Amino acid sequence: VVKWCQDNVRVQVKRHMYEKAKTDGTFKSVEKEAAPEFVKNKNEKEIEWEEEKKQAELERKLQRIENSALNKDKATKATFELKEYAEKHEGDTKVPYSYAPNILLGRWTENQRKQYRRKHNGLDKNSALADTKEGLLDDIGFVWSLQPESRSDALG
């Protein structure tokens, strides 16, 4: 960045010399010295800037891909842990939010329920809860709502 600033200052000085030479009438003597280098430096800097932008965009894309893969691995692991929990608890998938042996599992299941509600209530059309994950959780017997179906069910 510092080198770019220094080069940019040199280019601006040469540009000023070029403009002054055009107005003074000494254009012929300075033209070969200032103008070609100004154009060359400007084009090189633009190319360099474009390359830096492309590199930064590529790095952002790679980071998103890595994050996506990491999230898929976490979801797969959590789904496996939920299946184990259900097997230990006779098919029950109502993992408490602060389940002591695996607090992250309790929080993950609550997050899945939130995503399910948002998706099915039309609040989030781009929900992170994919149909495949939803189907997989259905196959495990996941309970999507911890609330009773209606008030009459709750009262008895």
Side-chain angles (χ1 to χ4, degrees), residues 66-91:
E66 287 175 9
N67 289 343
S68 176
L70 183 62
N71 287 339
K72 285 180 184 175
D73 288 345
K74 286 180 182 178
T76 302
K77 182 181 177 197
T79 303
F80 179 75
E81 290 172 350
L82 177 63
K83 191 172 184 179
E84 285 182 336
Y85 177 91
E87 288 171 0
K88 284 182 185 176
H89 295 89
E90 300 170 7

mmCIF file of all heavy atoms in Angstrom, residues 66-91:
data_model
loop_
_atom_site.group_PDB
_atom_site.id
_atom_site.type_symbol
_atom_site.label_atom_id
_atom_site.label_comp_id
_atom_site.label_asym_id
_atom_site.label_seq_id
_atom_site.Cartn_x
_atom_site.Cartn_y
_atom_site.Cartn_z
ATOM 1 N N GLU A 66 -15.371 -23.145 2.582
ATOM 2 C CA GLU A 66 -14.851 -23.832 3.767
ATOM 3 C C GLU A 66 -15.858 -23.779 4.909
ATOM 4 O O GLU A 66 -16.079 -24.777 5.582
ATOM 5 C CB GLU A 66 -13.533 -23.209 4.198
ATOM 6 C CG GLU A 66 -12.373 -23.530 3.295
ATOM 7 C CD GLU A 66 -11.100 -22.794 3.672
ATOM 8 O OE1 GLU A 66 -11.058 -22.146 4.746
ATOM 9 O OE2 GLU A 66 -10.140 -22.867 2.894
ATOM 10 N N ASN A 67 -16.460 -22.609 5.131
ATOM 11 C CA ASN A 67 -17.459 -22.473 6.188
ATOM 12 C C ASN A 67 -18.657 -23.371 5.932
ATOM 13 O O ASN A 67 -19.200 -23.985 6.842
ATOM 14 C CB ASN A 67 -17.908 -21.021 6.339
ATOM 15 C CG ASN A 67 -16.822 -20.149 6.939
ATOM 16 O OD1 ASN A 67 -15.869 -20.650 7.518
ATOM 17 N ND2 ASN A 67 -16.959 -18.852 6.791
ATOM 18 N N SER A 68 -19.083 -23.437 4.673
ATOM 19 C CA SER A 68 -20.216 -24.275 4.319
ATOM 20 C C SER A 68 -19.900 -25.744 4.597
ATOM 21 O O SER A 68 -20.710 -26.473 5.163
ATOM 22 C CB SER A 68 -20.567 -24.078 2.846
ATOM 23 O OG SER A 68 -21.598 -24.948 2.468
ATOM 24 N N ALA A 69 -18.720 -26.182 4.203
ATOM 25 C CA ALA A 69 -18.316 -27.572 4.442
ATOM 26 C C ALA A 69 -18.225 -27.848 5.938
ATOM 27 O O ALA A 69 -18.656 -28.907 6.408
ATOM 28 C CB ALA A 69 -16.979 -27.856 3.760
ATOM 29 N N LEU A 70 -17.685 -26.891 6.690
ATOM 30 C CA LEU A 70 -17.569 -27.055 8.134
ATOM 31 C C LEU A 70 -18.948 -27.152 8.765
ATOM 32 O O LEU A 70 -19.197 -27.997 9.621
ATOM 33 C CB LEU A 70 -16.784 -25.877 8.723
ATOM 34 C CG LEU A 70 -16.508 -25.920 10.218
ATOM 35 C CD1 LEU A 70 -15.657 -27.137 10.564
ATOM 36 C CD2 LEU A 70 -15.795 -24.652 10.656
ATOM 37 N N ASN A 71 -19.889 -26.305 8.330
ATOM 38 C CA ASN A 71 -21.241 -26.354 8.868
ATOM 39 C C ASN A 71 -21.924 -27.672 8.538
ATOM 40 O O ASN A 71 -22.661 -28.214 9.351
ATOM 41 C CB ASN A 71 -22.072 -25.177 8.343
ATOM 42 C CG ASN A 71 -21.670 -23.868 8.985
ATOM 43 O OD1 ASN A 71 -21.081 -23.863 10.054
ATOM 44 N ND2 ASN A 71 -21.965 -22.774 8.330
ATOM 45 N N LYS A 72 -21.686 -28.202 7.326
ATOM 46 C CA LYS A 72 -22.267 -29.493 6.964
ATOM 47 C C LYS A 72 -21.714 -30.594 7.858
ATOM 48 O O LYS A 72 -22.451 -31.481 8.289
ATOM 49 C CB LYS A 72 -22.007 -29.799 5.488
ATOM 50 C CG LYS A 72 -22.872 -28.998 4.559
ATOM 51 C CD LYS A 72 -22.587 -29.318 3.109
ATOM 52 C CE LYS A 72 -23.425 -28.408 2.215
ATOM 53 N NZ LYS A 72 -23.106 -28.598 0.813
ATOM 54 N N ASP A 73 -20.413 -30.539 8.135
ATOM 55 C CA ASP A 73 -19.809 -31.533 9.023
ATOM 56 C C ASP A 73 -20.406 -31.450 10.424
ATOM 57 O O ASP A 73 -20.696 -32.465 11.047
ATOM 58 C CB ASP A 73 -18.293 -31.345 9.101
ATOM 59 C CG ASP A 73 -17.581 -31.755 7.822
ATOM 60 O OD1 ASP A 73 -18.205 -32.437 6.982
ATOM 61 O OD2 ASP A 73 -16.409 -31.377 7.653
ATOM 62 N N LYS A 74 -20.597 -30.232 10.926
ATOM 63 C CA LYS A 74 -21.188 -30.043 12.250
ATOM 64 C C LYS A 74 -22.616 -30.566 12.280
ATOM 65 O O LYS A 74 -23.037 -31.204 13.237
ATOM 66 C CB LYS A 74 -21.161 -28.570 12.646
ATOM 67 C CG LYS A 74 -19.804 -28.053 13.032
ATOM 68 C CD LYS A 74 -19.874 -26.587 13.409
ATOM 69 C CE LYS A 74 -18.521 -26.027 13.755
ATOM 70 N NZ LYS A 74 -18.602 -24.592 14.069
ATOM 71 N N ALA A 75 -23.388 -30.282 11.213
ATOM 72 C CA ALA A 75 -24.778 -30.738 11.151
ATOM 73 C C ALA A 75 -24.836 -32.261 11.094
ATOM 74 O O ALA A 75 -25.679 -32.887 11.745
ATOM 75 C CB ALA A 75 -25.483 -30.134 9.946
ATOM 76 N N THR A 76 -23.950 -32.873 10.335
ATOM 77 C CA THR A 76 -23.915 -34.334 10.243
ATOM 78 C C THR A 76 -23.580 -34.942 11.602
ATOM 79 O O THR A 76 -24.209 -35.904 12.037
ATOM 80 C CB THR A 76 -22.874 -34.777 9.192
ATOM 81 O OG1 THR A 76 -23.213 -34.180 7.944
ATOM 82 C CG2 THR A 76 -22.835 -36.273 9.038
ATOM 83 N N LYS A 77 -22.603 -34.350 12.280
ATOM 84 C CA LYS A 77 -22.217 -34.833 13.605
ATOM 85 C C LYS A 77 -23.374 -34.673 14.589
ATOM 86 O O LYS A 77 -23.679 -35.589 15.352
ATOM 87 C CB LYS A 77 -20.988 -34.069 14.106
ATOM 88 C CG LYS A 77 -20.498 -34.529 15.453
ATOM 89 C CD LYS A 77 -19.294 -33.729 15.911
ATOM 90 C CE LYS A 77 -18.891 -34.191 17.304
ATOM 91 N NZ LYS A 77 -18.031 -33.241 17.957
ATOM 92 N N ALA A 78 -24.035 -33.514 14.559
ATOM 93 C CA ALA A 78 -25.149 -33.270 15.475
ATOM 94 C C ALA A 78 -26.308 -34.230 15.190
ATOM 95 O O ALA A 78 -26.956 -34.732 16.119
ATOM 96 C CB ALA A 78 -25.617 -31.821 15.363
ATOM 97 N N THR A 79 -26.572 -34.510 13.927
ATOM 98 C CA THR A 79 -27.643 -35.443 13.570
ATOM 99 C C THR A 79 -27.311 -36.832 14.108
ATOM 100 O O THR A 79 -28.176 -37.526 14.659
ATOM 101 C CB THR A 79 -27.823 -35.494 12.040
ATOM 102 O OG1 THR A 79 -28.084 -34.168 11.572
ATOM 103 C CG2 THR A 79 -28.977 -36.378 11.650
ATOM 104 N N PHE A 80 -26.065 -37.241 13.963
ATOM 105 C CA PHE A 80 -25.625 -38.536 14.490
ATOM 106 C C PHE A 80 -25.787 -38.570 16.013
ATOM 107 O O PHE A 80 -26.259 -39.560 16.580
ATOM 108 C CB PHE A 80 -24.168 -38.798 14.082
ATOM 109 C CG PHE A 80 -23.625 -40.086 14.583
ATOM 110 C CD1 PHE A 80 -24.009 -41.284 14.000
ATOM 111 C CD2 PHE A 80 -22.736 -40.114 15.648
ATOM 112 C CE1 PHE A 80 -23.500 -42.497 14.467
ATOM 113 C CE2 PHE A 80 -22.232 -41.316 16.116
ATOM 114 C CZ PHE A 80 -22.615 -42.509 15.532
ATOM 115 N N GLU A 81 -25.382 -37.488 16.695
ATOM 116 C CA GLU A 81 -25.511 -37.416 18.152
ATOM 117 C C GLU A 81 -26.973 -37.447 18.578
ATOM 118 O O GLU A 81 -27.321 -38.056 19.598
ATOM 119 C CB GLU A 81 -24.817 -36.165 18.685
ATOM 120 C CG GLU A 81 -23.314 -36.223 18.580
ATOM 121 C CD GLU A 81 -22.632 -34.912 18.930
ATOM 122 O OE1 GLU A 81 -23.324 -33.873 19.086
ATOM 123 O OE2 GLU A 81 -21.392 -34.918 19.039
ATOM 124 N N LEU A 82 -27.853 -36.811 17.803
ATOM 125 C CA LEU A 82 -29.286 -36.837 18.104
ATOM 126 C C LEU A 82 -29.823 -38.271 17.976
ATOM 127 O O LEU A 82 -30.626 -38.718 18.799
ATOM 128 C CB LEU A 82 -30.058 -35.892 17.171
ATOM 129 C CG LEU A 82 -31.574 -35.893 17.343
ATOM 130 C CD1 LEU A 82 -31.951 -35.391 18.741
ATOM 131 C CD2 LEU A 82 -32.221 -35.022 16.283
ATOM 132 N N LYS A 83 -29.378 -38.966 16.969
ATOM 133 C CA LYS A 83 -29.805 -40.358 16.772
ATOM 134 C C LYS A 83 -29.361 -41.215 17.962
ATOM 135 O O LYS A 83 -30.133 -42.035 18.480
ATOM 136 C CB LYS A 83 -29.235 -40.898 15.469
ATOM 137 C CG LYS A 83 -29.816 -42.207 15.042
ATOM 138 C CD LYS A 83 -29.346 -42.570 13.647
ATOM 139 C CE LYS A 83 -30.011 -43.848 13.191
ATOM 140 N NZ LYS A 83 -29.619 -44.225 11.850
ATOM 141 N N GLU A 84 -28.130 -41.018 18.412
ATOM 142 C CA GLU A 84 -27.646 -41.745 19.589
ATOM 143 C C GLU A 84 -28.469 -41.399 20.830
ATOM 144 O O GLU A 84 -28.805 -42.273 21.627
ATOM 145 C CB GLU A 84 -26.174 -41.417 19.850
ATOM 146 C CG GLU A 84 -25.210 -42.067 18.902
ATOM 147 C CD GLU A 84 -23.760 -41.740 19.228
ATOM 148 O OE1 GLU A 84 -23.504 -40.690 19.876
ATOM 149 O OE2 GLU A 84 -22.891 -42.520 18.837
ATOM 150 N N TYR A 85 -28.794 -40.106 20.985
ATOM 151 C CA TYR A 85 -29.614 -39.665 22.121
ATOM 152 C C TYR A 85 -30.974 -40.362 22.085
ATOM 153 O O TYR A 85 -31.460 -40.865 23.098
ATOM 154 C CB TYR A 85 -29.798 -38.143 22.075
ATOM 155 C CG TYR A 85 -30.692 -37.598 23.167
ATOM 156 C CD1 TYR A 85 -30.154 -37.185 24.378
ATOM 157 C CD2 TYR A 85 -32.068 -37.491 22.988
ATOM 158 C CE1 TYR A 85 -30.962 -36.692 25.387
ATOM 159 C CE2 TYR A 85 -32.887 -37.004 23.982
ATOM 160 C CZ TYR A 85 -32.333 -36.606 25.188
ATOM 161 O OH TYR A 85 -33.134 -36.121 26.181
ATOM 162 N N ALA A 86 -31.585 -40.402 20.905
ATOM 163 C CA ALA A 86 -32.896 -41.035 20.759
ATOM 164 C C ALA A 86 -32.819 -42.526 21.108
ATOM 165 O O ALA A 86 -33.725 -43.067 21.750
ATOM 166 C CB ALA A 86 -33.422 -40.838 19.343
ATOM 167 N N GLU A 87 -31.736 -43.186 20.699
ATOM 168 C CA GLU A 87 -31.580 -44.612 21.015
ATOM 169 C C GLU A 87 -31.440 -44.828 22.520
ATOM 170 O O GLU A 87 -32.002 -45.775 23.073
ATOM 171 C CB GLU A 87 -30.371 -45.184 20.276
ATOM 172 C CG GLU A 87 -30.593 -45.328 18.782
ATOM 173 C CD GLU A 87 -29.329 -45.692 18.017
ATOM 174 O OE1 GLU A 87 -28.237 -45.847 18.625
ATOM 175 O OE2 GLU A 87 -29.427 -45.800 16.776
ATOM 176 N N LYS A 88 -30.724 -43.933 23.202
ATOM 177 C CA LYS A 88 -30.542 -44.048 24.652
ATOM 178 C C LYS A 88 -31.830 -43.743 25.412
ATOM 179 O O LYS A 88 -32.044 -44.256 26.498
ATOM 180 C CB LYS A 88 -29.455 -43.082 25.136
ATOM 181 C CG LYS A 88 -28.059 -43.514 24.842
ATOM 182 C CD LYS A 88 -27.080 -42.502 25.421
ATOM 183 C CE LYS A 88 -25.655 -42.827 25.043
ATOM 184 N NZ LYS A 88 -24.726 -41.784 25.520
ATOM 185 N N HIS A 89 -32.667 -42.879 24.852
ATOM 186 C CA HIS A 89 -33.865 -42.406 25.549
ATOM 187 C C HIS A 89 -35.150 -42.938 24.918
ATOM 188 O O HIS A 89 -36.169 -42.245 24.872
ATOM 189 C CB HIS A 89 -33.874 -40.872 25.597
ATOM 190 C CG HIS A 89 -32.756 -40.307 26.400
ATOM 191 N ND1 HIS A 89 -31.530 -40.021 25.853
ATOM 192 C CD2 HIS A 89 -32.661 -40.015 27.725
ATOM 193 C CE1 HIS A 89 -30.725 -39.547 26.790
ATOM 194 N NE2 HIS A 89 -31.387 -39.535 27.939
ATOM 195 N N GLU A 90 -35.103 -44.159 24.420
ATOM 196 C CA GLU A 90 -36.282 -44.871 23.905
ATOM 197 C C GLU A 90 -37.033 -44.084 22.830
ATOM 198 O O GLU A 90 -38.256 -43.965 22.856
ATOM 199 C CB GLU A 90 -37.223 -45.237 25.055
ATOM 200 C CG GLU A 90 -36.568 -46.125 26.091
ATOM 201 C CD GLU A 90 -37.404 -46.303 27.334
ATOM 202 O OE1 GLU A 90 -38.559 -45.842 27.362
ATOM 203 O OE2 GLU A 90 -36.881 -46.898 28.288
ATOM 204 N N GLY A 91 -36.295 -43.495 21.899
ATOM 205 C CA GLY A 91 -36.905 -42.795 20.774
ATOM 206 C C GLY A 91 -37.231 -41.331 21.029
ATOM 207 O O GLY A 91 -37.691 -40.618 20.134
#
